[in-house]
Amino acid sequence: MRHPQHVAIIMDGNGRWARARGLPRSMGHRRGVEAVRQAVRAAGELGIDYLTLFAFSSENWRRPKEEVDELLGLLKHFIRRDLADLHKEGVRVRVIGARDDLTSDIRGLLEEAENLTRDNQRQTLVVAFNYGARDEVARAMRRIAEKFAAGEVSLDGLTADLLDEHLDTAGIPDPDLVIRTSGELRLSNFLLWQSAYSEFVFLPCLWPDFDRQAFEDAIAEYASRDRRFGGLSREIAS
Ligand code: IPE
Ligand code: IPE
Ligand code: MG
């Protein structure tokens, strides 16, 4: 079967990885960044055009301030340290999620990453930061309502495609494969609309332990699936 064009990953289990070693949760997040670097590299080598990484959810603000600050700090550190390398490797960076409640220094870094890498073509890295699918749909809905009120969109024009075009992921193909680490069997508000026909692979391993082999195994699992999109399987149809 085909290769996934777009793989999206819910990177979960940093805290448990640290706890299992008697370390503070922050150490799990730091090791998680190493796993991010490996995953981006592996995706490039495996010919995956789009890799989306769920880095911080719109609900993660509920965590203690100390941990939230650590995660925001790691994002800044990652962009400052890795942006030049990503650019050199031909990676285009896109960021999805709500920008308005982020501080201006983080917003500036995210814009810098997107602007610098805008024309790169080898691989797209989509960073889901302060991202929640319900919030994304609500923001899209508000933008569409403004256009509707201004007479730029008619009632008949309110289609699924129009919503697609107003989501943060506009122009990005739907994920073929969604992977979640850490053994949790839920989506936690990730790409709810876009994953309508995605294949799911849930792995027991904790995110800092996710390596090239785990990535390849998940892709092999994907390749064994029969995607029907509501139609008939290829064997029956032919
Ligand atoms: C994933 O690891 C990182 C984020 C959600 C930001 P967690 O921090 O959720 O780790 P666990 O689930 O507590 O082990
Ligand atoms: C999902 O993980 C969010 C990210 C990986 C960024 P969580 O750890 O926040 O999800 P829940 O709370 O277990 O559902
Ligand atoms: Mg978690």
Side-chain angles (χ1 to χ4, degrees):
M1 211 184 99
R2 307 146 310 266
H3 202 64
Q5 184 191 14
H6 181 177
V7 177
I9 310 184
I10 302 171
M11 311 185 287
D12 197 15
N14 292 348
R16 278 163 281 173
W17 182 93
R19 194 174 58 195
R21 287 161 182 78
L23 299 168
R25 293 178 58 84
S26 58
M27 288 307 291
H29 295 313
R30 284 176 201 193
R31 284 297 292 262
V33 176
E34 283 304 317
V36 165
R37 292 192 176 105
Q38 264 192 55
V40 176
R41 204 176 314 126
E45 288 165 10
L46 295 167
I48 293 162
D49 294 336
Y50 294 84
L51 176 69
T52 296
L53 298 177
F54 199 7
F56 190 87
S57 81
S58 50
E59 287 75 36
N60 285 146
W61 299 103
R62 294 176 187 157
R63 296 187 180 200
K65 183 176 184 307
E66 204 177 78
E67 177 161 348
V68 168
D69 287 346
E70 170 77 22
L71 290 166
L72 297 176
L74 281 176
L75 174 77
K76 287 196 260 185
H77 181 76
F78 176 73
I79 294 176
R80 289 195 184 115
R81 220 190 108 168
D82 289 58
L83 182 59
D85 286 343
L86 291 170
H87 184 46
K88 211 161 51 194
E89 294 294 327
V91 178
R92 177 171 62 144
V93 179
R94 276 274 300 261
V95 184
I96 60 172
R99 303 274 173 111
D100 289 357
D101 18 341
L102 298 173
T103 55
S104 60
D105 61 334
I106 293 187
R107 283 208 306 269
L109 280 170
L110 298 178
E111 275 161 31
E112 184 190 333
E114 289 183 317
N115 291 339
L116 177 72
T117 63
R118 187 175 301 279
D119 298 324
N120 291 344
Q121 302 206 333
R122 176 157 177 257
Q123 180 190 357
T124 299
L125 170 64
V126 183
V127 180
F129 200 87
N130 193 23
Y131 175 85
R134 289 178 172 178
D135 173 67
E136 177 192 35
V137 171
R139 283 186 287 107
M141 206 175 61
R142 283 199 290 275
R143 283 199 296 276
I144 292 173
E146 279 169 8
K147 291 188 184 172
F148 184 76
E152 292 165 29
V153 178
S154 69
L155 201 53
D156 288 345
L158 299 177
T159 60
D161 284 346
L162 188 78
L163 181 56
D164 257 335
E165 288 161 21
H166 287 79
L167 293 173
D168 297 346
T169 50
I172 298 171
D174 288 342
D176 300 294
L177 168 63
V178 176
I179 299 172
R180 181 171 189 148
T181 58
S182 93
E184 307 296 353
L185 305 179
R186 55 176 171 266
L187 281 179
S188 301
N189 203 11
F190 186 52
L191 299 178
L192 299 183
W193 170 271
Q194 297 88 338
S195 64
Y197 272 102
S198 301
E199 295 296 327
F200 291 91
V201 170
F202 294 97
L203 300 174
C205 85
L206 303 172
W207 175 251
D209 294 326
F210 183 86
D211 58 11
R212 168 82 184 233
Q213 190 58 53
F215 206 159
E216 286 186 29
D217 291 349
I219 288 167
E221 168 65 29
Y222 168 84
S224 75
R225 305 272 178 92
D226 182 17
R227 300 184 78 187
R228 293 192 283 274
F229 300 98
L232 297 181
S233 94
R234 278 175 300 161
E235 283 117 73
I236 296 169
S238 60

